[in-house]
Amino acid sequence: EGGYYYTRLGGASSTYPYLAGIFACALQDNTIFFTRPNWQDELFEIMKQTANEHPLGGKIINPTGIVERVSEIARAMEMDLIKQQASQHE
């Protein structure tokens, strides 16, 4: 009573700052990603798709996987933009 306790579902207050930091790292050099429609939803999908299976069940977030996937998408977008600009100058 009146003390601190830990539960399996506890700690949600630290989840959002943690995710915000990971997403900031993924987006810091990939600002073109912001031009995608529904980019916020896509970030959460990337988080789910790149997560690792935990041996006891559930999934564990994979920060490196998130950063790598966002970077891949951003590089592809940049290449498409360069191709598009080059074709306009022909």
Side-chain angles (χ1 to χ4, degrees):
E1 191 174 312
Y4 178 80
Y5 66 94
Y6 173 80
T7 67
R8 184 175 160 279
L9 300 175
S13 64
S14 64
T15 302
Y16 291 109
Y18 178 67
L19 287 176
I22 292 169
F23 291 161
C25 288
L27 296 168
Q28 69 183 354
D29 292 327
N30 301 308
T31 55
I32 194 170
F33 191 85
F34 291 122
T35 63
R36 295 176 73 80
N38 302 314
W39 63 268
Q40 298 98 331
D41 296 332
E42 192 169 359
L43 269 178
F44 280 101
E45 282 304 310
I46 290 170
M47 178 187 65
K48 292 176 193 174
Q49 293 167 358
T50 59
N52 296 317
E53 296 291 330
H54 189 279
L56 299 176
K59 294 189 175 198
I60 300 173
I61 193 170
N62 177 0
T64 303
I66 294 168
V67 172
E68 288 174 354
R69 182 67 184 127
V70 170
S71 294
E72 288 171 7
I73 292 169
R75 277 193 303 273
M77 291 175 70
E78 288 168 352
M79 292 304 296
D80 288 345
L81 186 61
I82 290 168
K83 289 175 187 175
Q84 195 176 53
Q85 289 172 343
S87 68
Q88 290 175 351
H89 288 53
E90 289 179 355

